[in-house]
Amino acid sequence: MAYANIDLIRNIGISAHIDSGKTTLSERILFYTGKVHAIHEVKGKDGVGAKMDSMDLEREKGITIQSAATYCEWKSAQGVLHNINIIDTPGHVDFTIEVERALRVLDGAILVLCSVSGVQSQSITVDRQMRRYKVPRLAFINKMDRAGANPFRVTAQLKEKLSHRPVMMQYPIGLEDKFQGVVDLVAMKAYYFDGESGENVRTEEIPADILAECKEKHAELVAGAGEFDEEVMNLFLEDKPVPAPALIRGIRKGCLELKITPVFMGSAYKNKGVQSLLDGVCNYLPNPKEVVNEAHDQQNNEQKIVLESRADKPFVGLAFKLEDGRYGQLTYMRIYQGKVSKGDFIMNCVNQKKVKVPRLVRMHSDEMNDIETAQAGDIVALFGVDCASGDTFTDGDIRVTMTSMHIPDAVISLAIAPKDKAGQVNFSKALNRFTREDPTFRVHRDEESAQTIASGMGELHLEIYMERIKREYNCEVVVGQPQVAYRETITQRGEFAYTHKKQTGGSGQFARVCGYVEPLPEDAVEAYEFVDDVVGGSIPREFIPACDKGFKEAIKNGSLIGFPVVGIRCVINDGLHHAVDSSEQAFKTAALMGFREGYESAKPVILEPIMKVEVSAPEEFQGSVVGQLNQRRGVIQSTESNEGYVIAVALIPLSEMFGYSTHLRSATQGKGEFSMEFAKYQAVPRATQEQMIKEFKEKQAAGKK
């Protein structure tokens, strides 16, 4: 492929709530841009499945599990050829890391919303992720052909639920089964999508029956663009017509500043409106030069520097995703600065190792197209480059690191083991690979029970990995009871004054540490804080870090049920030392034991993860749905009716959610569906806490025998 002008490159992601039609939309984009020559559905009867769902499990379950990358070319309405790199991300909250890492390296995004369901729980999560990485986005209201489609309600929800400032770029021609096309409110023309696959775009005048509404919406669009463009504002105030280029310029500026969200609409499944959305991507989303990308200069005290999207600058790239391919590890990389060619040597700034680039490819889902060179703004994949997800690479002339992505904590754990001893080697291989590929999939060994514990973002997340171990490594896995990731904390201040004395032959150990532990405020960012209030040198300065180490060691396992302690401030304000017998180890031990002393008197409590659960089911099942949520210690936050469906949102402890999908299906004749995501940690009821402490002590006693 000829080298693209960087101004004409778009790196975009497609994100949404599960089942909003992201993969169907990606499939249509590939078809209209000529990357695929036939359309296959996500759950198609032809057995082929969507191009972007390349994993067998994805095709069977009809969901996206791994984000897939592809690239295409699109000639915009202005006749300019653009290069578009696309990442299709999963909608299910259990695979949220795939969305995080995609948004970390993308310049713009399409937020897909269902025209009936509107803004759903996962839409809110995805939007929060887009804000975290300051990603400009377009909204695409999909499924306009469905009964109950209402783009005006969805646009209002963008404002109410997501605090966006939506601007309708299009007006629908008909709704539900009468949906025929869209009116472009910039050009004030009607577009219809003819042909077997909607590939022929026909331009007509706006139908007379909706002309007045379109003029009204056009005026709103001009007013929105006018806030970001003086020429548009002056023409608007003088009541003169605004030329399309000026209107596009104003909307683009507002979109890049994250102040407005252009709203498009259509039906990907019925092949309507996708070409107009592609024009919107070219017109309103940023090119790589219009996004500020920062890195930390390792040779200058981690000073922030801004990377320039230019090919003549020193090379900087970020490895954002790893995959085990047929030919070894495949490393997806976003190039932020400079260029890289096949055969070049690049340096991993994390471990300082130089590696050669043996092969450079562009990914088209699971297909690879070899290329010789890639430059700033490109998203490519490299073979034979050993690294971890989030590592920064440079050409060795500069040493910088990019900020890594946000990795959420795991909420659920399972004890796992290979069914027979023969599978042990493959079992270890699989776990090594998956933990490197997915930072939210964590594995550790529980020393007390000698079990291997896998932790992840939810039941489906772990279920998929267990299935992949079986299929890809031919290793049957035995799974134990799910274990919730509890935490411990304190509810009041607790004092401590601990003296550590040990006399053996020769010099002994002596350290005294005094202070207190207290709860951190609820809005604290960190889970642990250390405060040094020692005056007068009662503890020498060189031993203060040892006290911090001792506290950090202590909070790894609380004394109630052995889970990590969070939300705690450890303060030392006095102590004693001995000229000969005091050492770093002595103060570390004193701090650890002192913490335990203060912890006992600080009224510790157990915290459990609380999930935000959104259930959708036909209205006739409202009673049983709400009843089930109440039975599971659920606190109902809201219930609303929408097109014959009731949507209930509740906060429920994760420990009560195991097996819920089966119960919901049986209570709603298979018509109910739910999604859940982590909301917060909350203290468990006292009776439950006492029972948990008792069980923990029994387990400890059994382990000592």
Side-chain angles (χ1 to χ4, degrees):
M1 189 169 73
Y3 236 79
N5 174 352
I6 196 163
D7 295 336
L8 304 177
I9 291 178
R10 300 288 181 271
N11 291 317
I12 64 162
I14 300 179
S15 303
H17 185 88
I18 192 163
D19 252 2
S20 298
K22 297 177 300 300
T23 304
T24 306
L25 176 61
S26 305
E27 199 70 8
R28 298 309 186 270
I29 288 174
L30 293 179
F31 177 74
Y32 296 128
T33 56
K35 289 297 288 185
V36 295
H37 302 297
I39 292 172
H40 297 290
E41 302 309 337
V42 174
K43 291 184 180 175
K45 298 190 173 52
D46 56 8
V48 176
K51 175 70 190 170
M52 299 298 273
D53 284 345
S54 57
M55 203 193 285
D56 289 344
L57 265 171
E58 294 180 311
R59 290 175 174 174
E60 281 170 30
K61 291 185 178 283
I63 60 169
T64 302
I65 293 167
Q66 288 188 327
S67 52
T70 189
Y71 65 97
C72 56
E73 295 176 334
W74 179 249
K75 191 172 273 190
S76 68
Q78 286 76 25
V80 182
L81 193 66
H82 287 71
N83 285 58
I84 305 175
N85 291 312
I86 301 171
I87 298 185
D88 172 31
T89 62
H92 202 288
V93 71
D94 284 15
F95 308 108
T96 190
I97 187 65
E98 293 286 340
V99 185
E100 285 282 349
R101 57 173 148 211
L103 292 174
R104 170 67 186 82
V105 298
L106 292 170
D107 304 326
I110 300 171
L111 176 63
V112 183
L113 300 163
C114 171
S115 65
V116 182
S117 309
V119 173
Q120 294 165 277
S121 62
Q122 193 61 21
S123 321
I124 297 169
T125 305
V126 168
D127 183 68
R128 196 166 57 237
Q129 291 169 320
M130 288 179 186
R131 283 177 202 272
R132 182 180 294 133
Y133 300 111
K134 299 184 172 63
V135 177
R137 66 283 226 188
L138 310 178
F140 180 66
I141 301 173
N142 195 17
K143 304 191 178 186
M144 290 287 293
D145 56 305
R146 269 185 64 182
N150 186 341
F152 307 107
R153 187 184 67 237
V154 180
T155 305
Q157 284 181 346
L158 273 168
K159 191 174 181 179
E160 293 155 17
K161 293 190 176 182
L162 299 181
S163 306
H164 282 219
R165 184 167 162 207
V167 177
M168 286 180 84
M169 307 302 295
Q170 297 173 330
Y171 194 90
I173 304 171
L175 284 173
E176 302 179 349
D177 56 351
K178 295 186 178 64
F179 178 63
Q180 296 166 39
V182 292
V183 171
D184 181 340
L185 295 173
V186 174
M188 289 302 276
K189 293 284 182 195
Y191 291 129
Y192 298 89
F193 303 87
D194 300 335
E196 196 181 325
S197 304
E199 65 272 26
N200 304 321
V201 182
R202 174 165 50 94
T203 310
E204 302 277 348
E205 291 305 314
I206 300 172
D209 58 334
I210 55 169
L211 185 59
E213 290 96 324
C214 290
K215 282 183 175 169
E216 194 182 303
K217 290 291 177 192
H218 176 75
E220 284 177 23
L221 181 65
V222 173
E227 288 183 34
F228 303 96
D229 192 288
E230 214 171 300
E231 183 195 339
V232 175
M233 183 52 82
N234 291 337
L235 289 169
F236 177 64
L237 294 173
E238 291 165 15
D239 212 11
K240 288 179 180 173
V242 180
L247 207 46
I248 290 170
R249 190 175 64 232
I251 295 291
R252 179 183 178 79
K253 190 165 185 290
C255 183
L256 298 195
E257 288 177 15
L258 305 181
K259 293 195 175 139
I260 57 177
T261 305
V263 179
F264 292 81
M265 57 194 70
S267 165
Y269 185 61
K270 288 282 165 62
N271 311 312
K272 288 180 170 64
V274 179
Q275 295 96 320
S276 310
L277 176 66
L278 279 165
D279 286 340
V281 166
C282 300
N283 287 339
Y284 306 113
L285 290 182
N287 66 48
K289 290 200 305 198
E290 293 171 308
V291 179
V292 176
N293 293 303
E294 291 180 332
H296 297 278
D297 189 347
Q298 297 303 311
Q299 291 161 308
N300 190 8
N301 208 14
E302 296 224 338
Q303 282 266 321
K304 274 190 179 176
I305 56 167
V306 175
L307 300 175
E308 292 181 65
S309 295
R310 283 170 44 187
D312 57 353
K313 288 278 178 181
F315 167 73
V316 180
L318 178 74
F320 67 95
K321 177 176 156 68
L322 310 179
E323 235 177 64
D324 206 47
R326 294 189 294 273
Y327 312 106
Q329 181 173 300
L330 185 63
T331 305
Y332 285 80
M333 187 179 285
R334 163 75 198 261
I335 300 171
Y336 284 98
Q337 186 174 280
K339 62 180 181 180
V340 65
S341 301
K342 204 165 99 173
D344 283 1
F345 281 91
I346 56 175
M347 189 177 84
N348 186 333
C349 286
V350 177
N351 59 20
Q352 306 300 311
K353 281 186 185 169
K354 275 210 162 190
V355 288
K356 188 177 181 182
V357 180
R359 190 177 172 198
L360 202 56
V361 295
R362 275 189 203 280
M363 297 303 293
H364 174 35
S365 186
D366 57 345
E367 287 173 22
M368 294 160 213
N369 301 324
D370 280 276
I371 54 171
E372 291 299 313
T373 305
Q375 66 177 20
D378 283 337
I379 292 175
V380 292
L382 290 73
F383 268 109
V385 175
D386 190 36
C387 65
S389 192
D391 285 0
T392 305
F393 285 86
T394 68
D395 55 7
D397 292 346
I398 55 170
R399 279 183 55 201
V400 299
T401 52
M402 307 280 296
T403 50
S404 60
M405 61 213 115
H406 169 77
I407 297 168
D409 288 334
V411 293
I412 178 175
S413 301
L414 293 171
I416 57 172
K419 199 168 184 180
D420 48 54
K421 288 278 182 283
Q424 187 69 50
V425 174
N426 278 0
F427 180 69
S428 300
K429 271 189 196 166
L431 295 184
N432 278 337
R433 173 192 156 190
F434 294 143
T435 48
R436 281 180 63 174
E437 285 183 9
D438 181 351
T440 58
F441 179 65
R442 301 168 174 94
V443 176
H444 73 276
R445 187 171 169 77
D446 182 353
E447 294 306 328
E448 278 186 11
S449 63
Q451 288 177 311
T452 302
I453 308 293
S455 309
M457 302 306 297
E459 278 185 286
L460 181 66
H461 188 209
L462 295 182
E463 184 191 310
I464 292 289
Y465 276 117
M466 297 311 108
E467 185 65 27
R468 286 185 68 187
I469 292 172
K470 181 180 160 186
R471 289 183 185 206
E472 295 173 33
Y473 288 87
N474 198 20
C475 173
E476 290 272 356
V477 180
V478 181
V479 177
Q481 279 296 307
Q483 171 68 63
V484 173
Y486 292 103
R487 295 284 181 268
E488 297 184 23
T489 193
I490 54 173
T491 54
Q492 63 178 42
R493 180 167 155 158
E495 310 274 342
F496 59 83
Y498 187 84
T499 307
H500 173 62
K501 267 193 217 168
K502 205 172 183 185
Q503 197 62 48
T504 51
S507 64
Q509 286 186 25
F510 178 85
R512 179 174 171 80
V513 177
C514 305
Y516 57 90
V517 293
E518 65 180 1
L520 279 170
E522 277 190 15
D523 58 354
V525 178
E526 297 296 328
Y528 159 79
E529 194 180 295
F530 171 67
V531 179
D532 165 23
D533 272 350
V534 176
V535 287
S538 54
I539 299 177
R541 302 307 319 149
E542 67 264 28
F543 296 137
I544 299 292
C547 298
D548 186 18
K549 277 185 194 164
F551 291 137
K552 280 181 177 163
E553 190 68 34
I555 63 170
K556 284 181 185 171
N557 306 99
S559 57
L560 297 181
I561 55 167
F563 276 87
V565 180
V566 295
I568 195 161
R569 179 184 286 129
C570 300
V571 182
I572 51 168
N573 51 25
D574 201 2
L576 281 174
H577 72 286
H578 186 278
V580 178
D581 291 354
S582 286
S583 65
E584 188 178 318
Q585 185 56 46
F587 272 99
K588 185 179 168 185
T589 307
L592 188 135
M593 300 310 289
F595 174 89
R596 289 180 183 164
E597 189 181 283
Y599 191 67
E600 293 303 321
S601 60
K603 291 210 172 151
V605 292
I606 299 169
L607 301 174
E608 62 182 341
I610 304 292
M611 309 304 281
K612 180 185 173 195
V613 180
E614 185 178 289
V615 187
S616 161
E619 279 177 347
E620 66 212 74
F621 302 113
Q622 181 167 355
S624 50
V625 165
V626 172
Q628 274 189 349
L629 296 178
N630 288 330
Q631 276 171 2
R632 292 171 184 267
R633 290 200 281 137
V635 178
I636 308 283
Q637 302 292 294
S638 66
T639 54
E640 57 178 85
S641 288
N642 183 357
E643 306 296 337
Y645 269 71
V646 64
I647 294 155
V649 178
L651 293 176
I652 307 179
L654 176 63
S655 56
E656 302 286 345
M657 286 303 294
F658 298 125
Y660 177 62
S661 53
T662 314
H663 289 149
L664 177 67
R665 273 191 219 112
S666 56
T668 60
Q669 295 170 10
K671 294 172 187 167
E673 53 184 50
F674 80 101
S675 64
M676 69 174 182
E677 62 177 309
F678 173 75
K680 60 179 179 178
Y681 270 101
Q682 185 175 293
V684 302
R686 181 149 293 282
T688 312
Q689 174 162 320
E690 284 165 10
Q691 179 64 26
M692 288 169 76
I693 294 170
K694 185 180 162 205
E695 285 171 9
F696 176 66
K697 288 191 171 145
E698 283 170 4
K699 185 181 163 190
Q700 272 188 318
K704 283 173 187 169
K705 282 179 186 172

